[in-house]
């Protein structure tokens, strides 16, 4: 990597700190989850030199992206979709026939072997705090080494930005409130009444687990969208296309699950049969001891468990002013990964590429399109 002295003059006698020096590379990939590793693989395959040509910045201690933080009960028997990374199948690193193997163990093993096999230049742990632009280059400011780049592939995903709608009375509740990302296992709730909020796949799965060991109440903003079909790749691609259409129009992306609904699996059918999925509408406020509905109905609870999704982790790009008045980012390119306002920036893991279905293809296309854009700007 070429060094570019930023804050101190060449002749200064003052020692340079990490905050004073920006290392020059062509491309910085932010995030080493599935989308980031896929992009890194294709950058190298296209001839961009690891280290000098591109680096991958990741704020985790080890490999595995968000997978290393998933709950212990998520195993290879019930995980929703593990897609092979390009060039190396999951089965080459992990015994996928071991259905009891935890996803938070298996995927980090896979990603670690992948990074080492292809010698990807992943730097960790390092957190990107802000990206600004100066003299036609992006300045990537971190809590450690600083970087200067001509182009960016942002692959930060959503796991680090949980969304919890703060209903009136939020601060009054004397019990425990937690989000999906903080869940460990159902046993921690034994003997407690748990209100589970949310209508997505995670909410339903965790409701099923927790209801086996303690009392639960299920609450959603809208009636759950159960659909009697078996999810397949064709339906997945159709859902991704619908999400893609939104981001090309500059609208905030919806999740793929919001398009596909919840297919009635054998596990969900059992829950329906046993009355576990007795859904109540969203409460109006939170009290000291529980929740209250508009008609005055109240129930007491020990825990409010928010399975209300995540937001895309893009705060570090705020200075680039990419978000429009619709609170979306207008996207372009073959797979809608390229920011229309600035084609030197690609967002993988955003919109249609937020799913495991779309992340690999997005990494390949983003790498190629960004290289082409930067070549034209030389």
């Amino acid at each position: 990597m070429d060094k570019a002295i930023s804050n101190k003059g060449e002749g200064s006698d003052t020692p340079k700190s990490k905050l004073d020096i920006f290392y020059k590379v062509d491309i910085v990939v932010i995030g080493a989850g599935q989308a980031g590793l896929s992009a890194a693989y294709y950058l190298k395959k296209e001839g961009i030199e690891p280290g000098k040509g591109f680096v991958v910045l990741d704020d985790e201690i080890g490999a595995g992206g968000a997978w290393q933080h998933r709950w212990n009960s998520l195993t290879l028997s019930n995980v929703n979709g593990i897609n092979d990374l390009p060039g190396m199948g999951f089965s080459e690193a992990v015994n996928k026939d071991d259905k009891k193997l935890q996803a938070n163990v298996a995927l980090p093993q896979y990603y670690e072997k992948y990074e080492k096999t292809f010698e990807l230049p992943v730097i960790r742990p390092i957190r990107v705090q802000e990206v600004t632009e100066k003299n036609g280059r992006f300045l990537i400011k971190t809590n450690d080494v600083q970087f200067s780049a001509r182009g960016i592939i942002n692959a930060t995903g959503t796991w680090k930005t949980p969304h919890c709608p703060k209903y009136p009375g939020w601060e009054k509740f004397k019990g425990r409130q937690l989000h999906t990302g903080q869940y460990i296992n159902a046993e921690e709730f034994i003997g407690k009444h748990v209100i589970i909020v949310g209508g997505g796949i995670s909410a339903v799965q965790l409701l099923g687990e927790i209801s086996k060991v303690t009392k639960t109440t299920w609450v959603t903003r809208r009636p759950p969208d159960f659909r009697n079909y078996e999810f397949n790749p064709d339906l997945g691609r159709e859902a991704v296309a619908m999400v893609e259409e939104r981001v090309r129009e500059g609208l905030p992306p919806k999740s793929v699950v919001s398009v596909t609904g919840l297919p009635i699996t054998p596990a969900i059918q059992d829950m329906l049969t046993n009355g576990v999925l007795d859904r109540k509408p969203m409460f109006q406020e939170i009290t000291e001891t529980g929740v209250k509905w508009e008609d005055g109905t109240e129930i007491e609870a020990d825990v409010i468990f928010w399975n209300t999704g995540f937001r895309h982790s893009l705060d570090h790009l705020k200075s680039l002013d990419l978000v429009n008045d619709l609170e979306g980012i207008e996207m372009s390119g073959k797979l809608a990964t390229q920011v229309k306002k600035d084609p030197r920036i690609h967002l993988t893991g955003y919109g249609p590429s937020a799913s495991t279905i779309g992340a690999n293809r997005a990494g390949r296309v983003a790498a190629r399109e960004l290289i082409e854009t930067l070549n034209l700007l030389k």
Side-chain angles (χ1 to χ4, degrees):
M1 293 180 289
D2 296 326
K3 292 183 180 179
I5 306 300
S6 175
N7 295 337
K8 301 292 183 181
E10 290 287 347
S12 173
D13 293 329
T14 305
K16 306 295 188 296
S17 72
K18 291 179 180 178
L19 298 178
D20 297 320
I21 302 173
F22 284 77
Y23 290 90
K24 293 176 68 175
V25 294
D26 280 334
I27 296 169
V28 166
V29 179
I30 306 174
Q34 182 179 358
L37 293 182
S38 176
Y41 171 88
Y42 285 110
L43 286 172
K44 185 175 180 181
K45 192 173 182 180
E46 292 292 323
I48 307 300
E49 183 182 349
K52 186 173 183 178
F54 78 98
V55 293
V56 183
L57 308 183
D58 188 53
D59 66 357
E60 298 288 354
I61 294 175
W67 285 106
Q68 59 198 298
H69 303 297
R70 304 285 176 154
W71 48 96
N72 293 338
S73 58
L74 189 66
T75 65
L76 299 191
S77 66
N78 58 20
V79 65
N80 181 39
I82 296 175
N83 278 43
D84 289 344
L85 287 162
M88 177 191 289
F90 181 58
S91 60
E92 295 178 55
V94 175
N95 177 15
K96 66 178 184 181
D97 294 327
D98 181 1
K99 298 303 181 183
K100 293 183 179 180
L101 184 60
Q102 295 172 195
N104 59 16
V105 173
L107 272 297
Q109 287 178 356
Y110 177 35
Y111 284 20
E112 182 178 18
K113 183 172 182 179
Y114 188 85
E115 291 177 11
K116 290 179 178 178
T117 298
F118 295 108
E119 299 180 329
L120 300 178
V122 180
I123 302 172
R124 66 165 61 92
I126 185 169
R127 175 178 288 275
V128 175
Q129 297 171 325
E130 184 183 27
V131 179
T132 59
E133 184 184 11
K134 184 177 181 180
N135 298 329
R137 296 184 69 91
F138 295 109
L139 303 182
I140 296 92
K141 301 175 183 177
T142 80
N143 63 333
D144 198 283
V145 181
Q146 318 302 308
F147 291 85
S148 167
R150 298 178 62 224
I152 292 173
I153 296 179
N154 189 85
T156 46
T158 62
W159 188 259
K160 297 295 175 67
T161 46
H163 171 63
C164 281
K166 287 186 169 56
Y167 277 76
W170 169 283
E171 69 288 345
K172 296 179 183 177
F173 187 58
K174 293 183 176 179
R176 180 187 177 192
Q177 298 191 65
L178 75 157
H179 188 270
T180 316
Q182 299 168 286
Y183 179 74
I184 299 173
N185 55 50
E187 283 66 32
E188 61 182 315
F189 302 124
I190 290 175
K192 301 180 184 297
H193 179 197
V194 183
I195 295 176
I196 296 174
V197 184
I201 290 175
S202 294
V204 172
Q205 181 185 348
L206 298 180
L207 170 64
E209 290 183 13
I210 297 168
S211 66
K212 292 177 181 177
V213 301
T214 197
K215 180 181 178 182
T216 58
T217 298
W218 186 32
V219 176
T220 70
R221 220 159 34 93
R222 290 184 292 271
D225 185 13
F226 292 117
R227 302 186 191 180
N228 196 12
Y229 70 91
E230 184 176 344
F231 189 81
N232 59 54
D234 288 338
L235 290 171
R237 283 188 284 271
E238 182 180 336
V240 168
M242 295 176 71
V243 177
E244 180 180 325
E245 184 179 351
R246 285 185 60 85
V247 299
R248 287 189 184 278
E249 294 175 358
L251 298 170
K254 289 185 177 181
S255 68
V256 172
V257 173
S258 71
V259 178
T260 62
L262 293 165
I264 301 178
T265 62
I268 288 180
Q269 184 59 62
D270 286 344
M271 293 167 69
L272 288 167
T273 302
N274 296 329
V276 175
L277 298 177
D278 178 20
R279 170 258 179 188
K280 297 185 183 300
M282 196 64 202
F283 48 78
Q284 185 180 43
E285 63 177 293
I286 300 172
T287 67
E288 289 187 0
T289 57
V291 296
K292 183 177 182 179
W293 280 264
E294 190 174 3
D295 64 3
T297 301
E298 292 187 52
I299 62 169
E300 293 187 352
D302 303 290
V303 179
I304 302 176
F305 186 12
W306 299 90
N307 290 269
T308 42
F310 299 81
R311 296 288 183 261
H312 288 92
S313 302
L314 299 174
D315 285 352
H316 54 287
L317 302 179
K318 188 174 181 180
S319 296
L320 301 179
D321 195 27
L322 305 179
V323 179
N324 60 28
D325 293 339
L326 302 173
E327 297 188 2
I329 300 174
E330 189 173 359
M331 306 299 295
S332 61
K334 183 177 180 180
L335 293 181
T337 63
Q338 191 173 50
V339 176
K340 188 171 184 179
K341 183 177 181 179
D342 192 335
R344 299 171 300 164
I345 304 170
H346 279 258
L347 307 181
T348 59
Y350 177 84
S353 60
S355 70
T356 55
I357 298 168
N360 286 352
R361 292 176 63 233
R364 180 180 72 247
V365 171
R368 291 175 178 173
E369 289 184 340
L370 181 54
I371 291 169
E372 182 180 345
T373 296
L374 297 181
N375 285 339
L376 291 172
L377 294 174
K378 281 185 176 179

